[in-house]
Amino acid sequence: MTDQAVEPEVGRARPRKEDARLITGQTNWTDNISVNGLLHMAILRSPMAHARIERIDVSPALDRPGVIAAFSGGDFAEVLGSLPCAWPVTEDIVLPDHPAVAVDEVRYAGDPVAVVVARDRYAAADALEAIEVDYEPLPPVLDLEAALGQDAPLVHSGKGTNRCYVWPLKTGEDFDSVRQRAEVTLKRRYHQQRLIPNAMEPRAVVVTPLAASGEYTLYSATQIPHIVRVMMAVVTGIPEHKLRVIAPDVGGGFGSKLQVYGEEAIALAVARRLGRPVKWTESRSEGYLATHHGRGMIQDVEIAANRDGTLLGLKVDLLADMGAYLMLVTPGIPILGAFMYPAIYKMGSYDFTCTGVFTTRTPTDAYRGAGRPEATFAIERVMDELAVELGLDPVELRRRNWIGHEEFPYTTIAGLTYDSGNYEAATEKALALFDYDKLRAEQADRNHRGDTVRLGIGVSTYTEMCGLAPSRVLRDLRYAAGGWEAASIRVLPTGKVEVVTGTSPHGQGHVTCWSQIAADVLGVPFEDVEVVHGDTKAAPQGMDTYGSRSLVVGGTAVHHAARKVVEKARKVAAHLLEASENDLEFTDGVFSVKGSPDARKTIQEVAFETFSSHDLPDGMEPTINAEHLTDPDNFSYPHGTHLCAVEVDTETGQTRIRSYVSVDDVGRVVNPTIVEGQVHGGIAQGIAQALYEEAVYDDDGNLVTGTMADYLVPAAPDLPDFVTDRTETPATSNPLGVKGVGEAGTIASTPAVVNAVMDALRPLGVHDIRMPCTPERVWRAVREARR
Amino acid sequence: MTHISVKVDGTTYEDDVEPRLLLVHYLRDRLGLTGTPIGCDTSNCGACTVELDGASVKSCSVLAVQADGSEVTTVQGLAHDGELTALQRAFHEKHALQCGYCTPGMLMAARDLLREHPHPTSEEIRHALEGNLCRCTGYQNIVRAVQAASEEEVPA
């Protein structure tokens, strides 16, 4: 080791450690796992949205070649409890029983009704056709407003209502009185269409039982192995200490794998019953029906302001589609959004009510931003409408209302305390990169000429709520789990380091970033750090990965654990160097005595000393390993400004993104390359919601967009090059200063794009278009306006 | 059952397969070559793209029996003696993958493109990769990576 200063790892644009495996096909996806005697499971699903099961006979399937067993709902009802909902947002929430396999009634197209187990996947799929089911159709429940009507058919007849819960948040001055004194009020209704997550890796489950000891290993393509373990212990009755959950390589999640799925419970039950390993892998089309969906909301928004643009208050009435059942955090998703409608703006009144509604559709749950994109969309759309009403530039209206950078920490009307931010700086940078004034001039010119291709400019100044979450806040929100995260660090005898993290990555690059964080604190080379994750045996504690919490909470835990290692090592080094701990400096992995730089011990030498344990301080355990559980003090609040310019062909309805600029402030950046990549992916999804994607159901409740051929996942030609940049305002709530980035792009981009489309078409008399703004919808809106 | 003889990543395999067995399942389940993943059942996503006699195909759209007598290259056959191809290196250096599930298909499709058009524009790259879906990267870094690889002398 030399005394040359080492360049800090945090902040470096490191290519990822993860890539070597992934670019050579040496992957460990759940579906890759094979063991001797493996059986394949296939699931028969309801072809109807709502029906009573009059009769079901699985026995004909047993006659098919290769079939080992077949089960119907009754077989599982005896051994599996209800699938869990961990977020009962109100005391009087309606919590229906949720069987992993339907017993007497199906409630969405795709609801499992029977299970076949066979020697190979083709045989299992074939045998499903032999199962006989008689359905008595029941009326589907599809319209959120009609579902709340007096005579609406019921999704869960025993519950007497389709209203799952009503959750209010009213703060500040009463909105009715604000409305009366406001100089301007605007009311708008926005629809958040249902989205289908489409993580590239379909879900998959493998269970290997060890009958003699009653132990089970569950491999699952999941974001949350630790939570799945707890929940599966509850649902299946397999004791928690006998259940090991492994999330191997996981090919994307986006919230859709933040779930406790019936198939995981079914596979455990089947493996237990048969004493054989089983595998289930969903086909993409099956996933469209059976993997939870996202969004699905109607937002009635009312904003009150003065003529000078000063915001006075906001009222939001939200109808949220729960789908047929409450999954792990279904009811809580719109509640996460509840806090974000006031966004970065100052106002004196906020009146929010969310009504959760059951429908006979696939359950909804967390998806890319989870409640926050929806909230940001509504506020950023209505801000644009208000700007039009007031004759103000949309950026100027925002500027007049946002929290000034000198006002942080700032407690919003929704009760959140934003620790830091600088909205002006991010916006100024974005406007400069975008060449805002020049584009406005071109727009005016095109409008003046009556060009058939119109230019529109959309802005979105967003913030998000990351780093889920302080456990006490979660308690107040009635969320069952805590928000802490765990890390432990093992310094091996040779000086190599294992970082054990409770977060469970699926593409975000935790291995690289956690290595960077640990390398800096410990003063060891980046290459000497390995990261252990995603296995409840190897990484026993954790709250897993979702909601942009991994870096903010999990990364912070790694930082603290590494600090503890250094403090333990300092004791050993002081002893070995016969110096006082206070006299030791620790730089780039070397303890040295102040004033005597030759008296030194590297942290690797200290690690070996604890291994040999020949000469440790009295009473000291022979280890410098350490663990830390971090419970955050606050959420973190990244923010930024996204600007989008679109060209809309008024003859064809086609929208083309002409340019897209984002400036995000995610606090301190651990790895700029990874941050940029996360932003890109997020923007792509936000654009997809604005222009392309929608889960469409017909009047009978069938999913019309039931395959990848029918649901438009954008491909490379559908998306532009993005210009991304950053400002950096460190978070004050964690020692790294990080804020989280995973969802920023998704949250910001949808309103930026739709605002741009509306900006292009408003001069033609078009006032709103429902997402996605497909060519047909745009074309119809233009035609309608011309009439 | 039908007898087939297929050379995959340099090794010849003799097998009896059901006529309906898809090439991708043959590779994954029979040969254990799980580097090629499956992302959909409608041939839309492109994750399972491999090279069949020098042309990229979606291996979920080809029967194993159709590969009889052919040569197949998968992502596992790209690197030789630990030496990555220019495309693989570029994907790593340009951060052209996140979860990595679409990556094998992207690499195979891009390889086909670069063979036909050694120096494509970004528009041409986007067009050539239209049949390969990615949910993580927004495609921009994939396009950059393919462009970077096209600028190298080393064959893709």
Side-chain angles (χ1 to χ4, degrees), chain A residues 15-20 22-27 29 31-33 40 120-123 126 196-202 250-252 254 279 283-286 367-368 506-509 673-678 680-682 684-685 688 693 707-724, chain B residues 18 20-26 28-29 32-47 63 74-79 84 87-104 106-107 122-123 125-141 143-144:
Chain A
R16 300 192 316 171
K17 287 183 172 179
E18 287 88 339
D19 294 352
L22 300 169
I23 55 177
T24 53
Q26 297 172 64
T27 42
W29 314 113
D31 188 60
N32 293 4
I33 292 164
H40 294 261
D120 75 63
R121 63 174 102 217
Y122 285 46
D126 283 349
I196 298 179
N198 279 302
M200 285 310 301
E201 181 205 19
V250 177
F254 313 114
K279 177 193 281 189
S283 68
R284 178 65 56 181
S285 307
E286 188 180 18
Y367 177 58
R368 281 187 127 150
H506 33 283
Q508 299 94 333
T673 303
I674 287 177
V675 165
E676 190 190 22
Q678 293 273 308
H680 285 176
Q685 178 54 44
E693 295 184 25
T707 72
M708 243 181 196
D710 307 303
Y711 183 95
L712 209 170
V713 173
D718 301 316
L719 295 169
D721 274 331
F722 316 115
V723 176
T724 59
Chain B
E18 273 192 84
R20 64 172 178 168
L21 184 69
L22 298 175
L23 177 60
V24 69
H25 285 134
Y26 175 69
R28 291 177 54 78
D29 295 346
L33 293 172
T34 50
T36 301
I38 301 171
C40 73
D41 41 30
T42 47
S43 301
N44 286 84
C45 84
L63 296 167
T74 78
V75 69
Q76 288 166 275
L78 293 186
L84 299 177
L87 259 175
Q88 286 173 309
R89 282 200 312 277
F91 267 59
H92 174 57
E93 282 156 15
K94 301 294 176 191
H95 190 37
L97 62 150
Q98 290 178 29
C99 83
Y101 201 80
C102 72
T103 307
M106 287 288 178
L107 287 167
S122 68
E123 298 299 307
I125 295 168
R126 285 183 182 274
H127 180 70
L129 297 180
E130 188 167 13
N132 292 70
L133 299 177
C134 170
R135 296 292 272 178
C136 298
T137 65
Y139 301 106
Q140 185 160 331
N141 286 351
V143 174
R144 279 183 193 167

Side-chain angles (χ1 to χ4, degrees), chain A residues 611-690:
Chain A
F611 170 66
S612 69
S613 224
H614 292 168
D615 186 17
L616 292 184
D618 288 341
M620 184 167 178
E621 282 185 78
T623 175
I624 55 170
N625 296 345
E627 76 171 0
H628 191 88
L629 274 73
T630 295
D631 203 331
D633 297 332
N634 190 1
F635 298 90
S636 60
Y637 300 96
H639 67 83
T641 296
H642 287 220
L643 291 161
C644 176
V646 296
E647 287 177 356
V648 185
D649 188 325
T650 56
E651 300 295 313
T652 65
Q654 185 76 41
T655 297
R656 188 181 78 85
I657 295 182
R658 159 93 165 262
S659 63
Y660 196 100
V661 167
S662 77
V663 174
D664 295 285
D665 193 323
V666 298
R668 201 157 157 231
V669 169
V670 173
N671 186 320
T673 303
I674 287 177
V675 165
E676 190 190 22
Q678 293 273 308
V679 170
H680 285 176
I683 295 173
Q685 178 54 44
I687 291 173
Q689 175 168 13

Side-chain angles (χ1 to χ4, degrees), chain A residues 166-197:
Chain A
V166 177
W167 191 95
L169 175 66
K170 293 176 203 296
T171 65
E173 191 182 348
D174 176 58
F175 187 82
D176 289 333
S177 49
V178 166
R179 182 195 285 124
Q180 279 178 3
R181 70 182 170 84
E183 291 168 3
V184 184
T185 61
L186 279 183
K187 262 178 143 166
R188 292 290 184 271
R189 165 168 281 206
Y190 299 121
H191 292 261
Q192 293 286 328
Q193 78 269 34
R194 266 182 180 250
L195 299 179
I196 298 179

Side-chain angles (χ1 to χ4, degrees), chain A residues 458-469:
Chain A
V459 59
S460 164
T461 51
Y462 76 100
T463 185
E464 60 169 322
M465 179 172 67
C466 293
L468 295 168

